[in-house]
């Protein structure tokens, strides 16, 4: 099986595996005062330093969670519970971990429009901010979209929200380890991360929050993580998370991965009338999202699986059930086109040959379904 589904989960990096095996031998609670407990504590604190370092932050502002979903929820619920008269701005670009919460009817929200290129419409944001009547804006804007890979104008959005003394939450789950991330450069107040997108284990993540940013704990208990997130820390997961982010080097890995994506997309473009999403903008280096109308996303996933390739239709981490991508619909794609979308994502372990091999397998399958979509080529 050739794995091309890194945005769903990246394969475990060997460094993460090794760190987890070491942590497994530390059979103690990091809150215990005996020497074994102190050893566990040291491991957690050095992991915190490593993760803080990767996003350019102080370690003490990093809180470990059970993953990206919890990190997002902690930021949003924790902030909204503390801000008086908050209005939550979000868009259909957000992952269900954020968007479904925004649409739950529990909060006062404004949905910001999405441009056809796959970014948040900042003019619409500016207009909607203007219509506030003394309330405090709270914006959720992800750093990189999980379906298209499109990098969002987070710093610019922050500047707009600051004019109204607002706060900004950024879901950077897809970005950390794939592109350089700096909380200072972005100017955000909260930033969510997840280990399994970086080559770490599933079920562990972190929330960075700016010192002093409002944050009401959502989980009460033993007072771990400075009482912001009670519950015995996942020592093994945290050790694997830190080793994964330390092993990743976007500056070194991205050019190679981007080249693979380019080989893949060029092969498709040369042969077929394929619609690519977000390909005119800066994207995560390994992500390609495209559609051939009439060739259903689920059918493509099955055809590729049979051919030996793991890929995704729509947003895999929210799937199991098939729902048409709200991201692609928000970008203006028709229902028929959006339901024919496939997401390919290359990453740290992908090899140069994978891109060409996947393109050939996909073209072979697509030709059977939709020969009219093929260009007349020799
Ligand atoms: N946010 C984004 C952008 C994601 O892509 C995902 C998972 O795919 C999540 C949040 C959820 O993270 P986790 O699976 O760690 O809960």
């Amino acid at each position: 099986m050739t794995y091309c589904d890194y945005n769903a989960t990246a394969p475990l990096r060997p460094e993460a595996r090794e760190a987890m095996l070491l942590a497994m031998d530390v059979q103690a609670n990091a809150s215990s005062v005996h020497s074994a407990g102190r050893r566990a504590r040291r491991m957690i604190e050095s992991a915190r330093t490593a993760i803080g370092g990767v996003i350019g932050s102080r370690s003490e502002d990093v809180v470990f969670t059970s993953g990206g979903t919890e990190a997002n929820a902690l930021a949003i619920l924790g902030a909204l519970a503390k801000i008086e008269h908050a209005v939550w701005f979000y868009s259909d670009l957000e992952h269900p971990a954020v968007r479904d919460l925004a649409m739950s009817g529990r909060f006062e929200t404004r949905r910001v429009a999405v441009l056809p290129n796959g970014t948040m419409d900042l003019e619409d944001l500016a207009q909607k901010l203007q219509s506030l009547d003394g309330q405090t804006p709270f914006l959720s804007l992800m750093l990189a979209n999980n379906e298209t890979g499109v990098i969002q104008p987070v710093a610019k959005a922050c500047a707009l929200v600051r004019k109204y003394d607002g706060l900004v939450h950024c879901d950077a789950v897809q970005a950390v380890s794939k592109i350089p991330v700096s909380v200072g450069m972005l100017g955000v107040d909260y930033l969510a991360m997840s280990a399994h997108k970086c080559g770490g284990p599933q079920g562990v993540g972190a929330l960075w929050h700016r010192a002093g940013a409002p944050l009401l704990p959502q989980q009460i208990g033993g007072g771990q993580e400075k009482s912001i997130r009670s519950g015995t820390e996942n020592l093994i997961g945290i050790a694997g998370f830190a080793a994964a982010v330390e092993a990743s080097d976007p500056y070194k890995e991205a050019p190679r991965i981007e080249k693979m994506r380019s080989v893949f997309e060029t092969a498709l473009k040369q042969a077929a009338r394929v619609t690519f999403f977000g390909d005119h903008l800066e994207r995560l280096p390994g992500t390609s999202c495209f559609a051939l109308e009439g060739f259903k996303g689920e059918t493509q996933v099955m055809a590729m699986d049979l051919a030996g390739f793991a890929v995704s239709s729509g947003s895999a981490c929210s799937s199991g059930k098939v729902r048409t991508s709200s991201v692609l619909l928000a970008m203006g794609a028709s229902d028929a086109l959006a339901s024919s979308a496939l997401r390919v994502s290359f990453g740290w372990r992908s090899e140069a040959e994978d891109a060409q091999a996947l393109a050939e397998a996909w073209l072979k399958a697509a030709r059977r379904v939709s020969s009219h979509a093929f260009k007349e080529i020799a």
Side-chain angles (χ1 to χ4, degrees), residues 11-174:
L12 194 67
R13 290 183 189 258
E15 295 87 347
R17 188 172 185 279
E18 202 170 309
M20 287 161 75
L21 288 172
L22 276 174
M24 268 182 210
D25 285 333
V26 183
Q27 284 140 18
N29 191 316
S31 299
S32 298
V33 289
H34 47 65
S35 55
R38 292 202 306 275
R39 186 165 169 224
R41 169 61 49 208
R42 279 197 300 279
M43 280 181 139
I44 290 180
E45 295 316 317
S46 84
R48 202 186 306 279
T49 304
I51 288 159
V54 159
I55 56 166
S57 88
R58 309 185 315 161
S59 58
E60 52 264 53
D61 300 333
V62 174
V63 175
F64 288 112
T65 65
S66 65
T69 302
E70 191 197 334
N72 280 316
L74 176 58
I76 296 161
L77 299 173
L80 292 179
K82 284 249 180 168
I83 306 169
E84 268 181 53
H85 310 299
V87 178
W88 182 9
F89 290 72
Y90 75 100
S91 79
D92 283 339
L93 293 167
E94 295 300 312
H95 184 273
V98 174
R99 182 174 173 265
D100 286 6
L101 197 53
M103 290 173 65
S104 65
R106 292 163 56 190
F107 310 96
E108 187 178 346
T109 58
R110 301 277 187 283
R111 185 159 54 167
V112 182
V114 171
L115 294 171
N117 65 15
T119 58
M120 177 178 266
D121 182 343
L122 294 187
E123 275 181 29
D124 189 48
L125 173 64
Q127 252 172 34
K128 289 197 161 94
L129 284 166
Q130 252 174 28
S131 69
L132 284 174
D133 188 13
Q135 303 105 317
T136 303
F138 176 82
L139 171 71
S140 285
L141 180 57
M142 63 190 349
L143 185 47
N145 184 263
N146 44 300
E147 294 182 45
T148 61
V150 171
I151 315 285
Q152 299 299 315
V154 175
K156 284 186 183 157
C158 269
L160 292 174
V161 172
R162 291 283 178 243
K163 289 190 197 161
Y164 298 83
D165 294 327
L167 291 148
V168 179
H169 150 248
C170 179
D171 176 350
V173 162
Q174 289 291 346

Side-chain angles (χ1 to χ4, degrees), residues 193-231:
M193 301 167 257
S194 176
H196 73 110
K197 312 291 183 179
C198 311
Q202 298 173 346
V204 59
L207 173 68
W208 169 85
H209 60 105
R210 183 179 51 73
L215 190 62
L216 188 76
Q218 297 300 304
Q219 203 160 289
I220 312 301
Q224 291 88 348
E225 299 297 283
K226 294 201 196 124
S227 292
I228 295 171
R229 199 273 188 184
S230 280

